[in-house]
Amino acid sequence: MDSKLKDHEGPLLASIERRLFLRRGLSLGALSLLAGCDLTDNDSVQKVLTSMSRWNDGAQAWLFDPKRLAPEFPASMITNPFPFNAYYSEDEIRLVDATDYKLEISGRVKETKAWRLPELYALPQVSQITRHICVEGWSAIGKWSGPRFSDFLQRVGADTTARYIGFKCADDYYTSIDMATALHPQTIMAFKYADQVLPPKYGFPWKLRIPTKLGFKNPKHVVALFVTNENPGGYWEDKGYNWFSGS
Ligand SMILES: Nc1nc2c(c(=O)[nH]1)N[C@H]1C(S)=C(S)[C@@H](COP(=O)(O)O)O[C@H]1N2
Ligand SMILES: [Mo]
């Protein structure tokens, strides 16, 4: 079955399988039997992958412990220089204008007023030194600072019983996360990298920093967010990357 997986799906599914097997005695092999499919052609492989990927989102959310913290590191372990990554190269980095910037809020929230940067900067901030892990096979440790996303959600009167938060970015990137991750204490609106205003390459004016999720679930240059019960998908998620992609 592995030989038919796309490059990026192999290791990810393998690690999910390992986790499910260790914790719940399940395996992808058992799942394909349950799905009643002999996986002899690409079409059926694709169908099972799609259904497993959906099943895994639910299973992973169920396994996710909202109180378990991602490891934090001493300043001496920070990766220098911290890598840049996006679906385009460094010479195409989006430049967001600070004075024009507005963060749009919509969906299941009481206050849909847009936020300007000075208002956002006035929120109480926390810092973290955590590891960013990219599915492309690299990881790096960095320091980010900004308000807890849960504080912000509370201020805008978000319906925290809703299932998802969707994000739209200045560069056409988009992604979405589950509510438990949105409310996790280490999920922050990062306005700073290494104690300086977040530079354009790392997502000015802010990125959602989520150390419990893979890099592609950490949207940079966020310009709009919405609270919803419909899964909004994402740029890589819609191309087949596992939606939950977290621990
Ligand atoms: N807006 C936007 N956010 C994005 C991306 C992107 O292309 N555009 N790429 C994602 C991926 S795959 C990674 S690994 C990280 C890279 O963040 P960095 O440049 O701070 O290392 O941003 C994520 N968020
Ligand atoms: Mo990534």
Side-chain angles (χ1 to χ4, degrees), residues 83-96 136 138 168-174 199-207 218-223 235-236 239:
F84 157 83
N85 196 32
Y87 67 90
Y88 42 82
S89 62
E90 226 169 315
D91 54 357
E92 292 170 277
I93 290 170
R94 292 318 129 96
L95 298 175
V96 174
E136 284 168 27
W138 57 271
K168 293 180 189 163
C169 307
D171 57 358
D172 299 334
Y173 195 78
Y174 64 105
K201 63 178 171 177
Y202 301 144
F204 182 86
W206 68 280
K207 86 178 226 173
N218 291 231
K220 308 196 283 187
H221 314 287
V222 178
V223 291
Y235 183 91
W236 291 115
K239 292 179 167 59

Side-chain angles (χ1 to χ4, degrees), residues 85-86 132-138 173 214-217 236 241:
N85 196 32
H132 170 118
I133 304 166
C134 174
V135 269
E136 284 168 27
W138 57 271
Y173 195 78
L214 291 178
F216 76 87
K217 304 286 297 180
W236 291 115
Y241 281 62

Side-chain angles (χ1 to χ4, degrees), residues 15-230:
S15 78
I16 291 163
E17 174 174 33
R18 196 161 52 243
R19 185 160 47 173
L20 289 175
F21 184 75
L22 289 174
R23 296 221 195 144
R24 306 285 166 186
L26 290 170
S27 69
L28 296 183
L31 270 177
S32 65
L33 285 176
L34 284 175
C37 171
D38 61 2
L39 308 180
T40 47
D41 57 274
N42 280 328
D43 211 46
S44 60
V45 168
Q46 204 43 58
K47 275 192 198 123
V48 168
L49 275 179
T50 309
S51 68
M52 279 190 310
S53 169
R54 288 211 192 101
W55 184 86
N56 276 327
D57 286 340
Q60 289 178 86
W62 174 56
L63 292 169
F64 178 73
D65 176 352
K67 284 184 276 301
R68 191 172 56 216
L69 297 179
E72 303 214 11
F73 300 90
S76 60
M77 286 181 71
I78 289 172
T79 308
N80 210 346
F82 192 87
F84 157 83
N85 196 32
Y87 67 90
Y88 42 82
S89 62
E90 226 169 315
D91 54 357
E92 292 170 277
I93 290 170
R94 292 318 129 96
L95 298 175
V96 174
D97 186 274
T99 18
D100 291 347
Y101 179 79
K102 270 193 291 188
L103 172 62
E104 314 271 2
I105 317 285
S106 64
R108 306 180 68 89
V109 288
K110 290 204 185 81
E111 311 283 341
T112 53
K113 174 191 81 77
W115 287 61
R116 297 274 185 183
L117 271 185
E119 302 169 294
L120 289 169
Y121 287 161
L123 297 170
Q125 302 196 5
V126 295
S127 293
Q128 60 174 255
I129 300 174
T130 51
R131 186 187 296 275
H132 170 118
I133 304 166
C134 174
V135 269
E136 284 168 27
W138 57 271
S139 87
I141 294 172
K143 180 177 183 184
W144 293 270
S145 312
R148 287 208 167 94
F149 192 45
S150 60
D151 286 353
F152 183 76
L153 290 177
Q154 208 180 355
R155 274 168 209 263
V156 299
D159 171 8
T160 54
T161 69
R163 297 180 64 184
Y164 308 105
I165 315 264
F167 300 89
K168 293 180 189 163
C169 307
D171 57 358
D172 299 334
Y173 195 78
Y174 64 105
T175 187
S176 56
I177 57 170
D178 56 291
M179 187 60 74
T181 298
L183 299 175
H184 188 280
Q186 287 171 310
T187 300
I188 68 169
M189 301 167 86
F191 295 126
K192 286 184 183 158
Y193 180 78
D195 301 314
Q196 308 295 318
V197 172
L198 194 73
K201 63 178 171 177
Y202 301 144
F204 182 86
W206 68 280
K207 86 178 226 173
L208 192 71
R209 175 64 194 135
I210 318 175
T212 56
K213 291 232 182 265
L214 291 178
F216 76 87
K217 304 286 297 180
N218 291 231
K220 308 196 283 187
H221 314 287
V222 178
V223 291
L225 62 89
F226 54 101
V227 181
T228 174
N229 282 317
E230 251 69 34

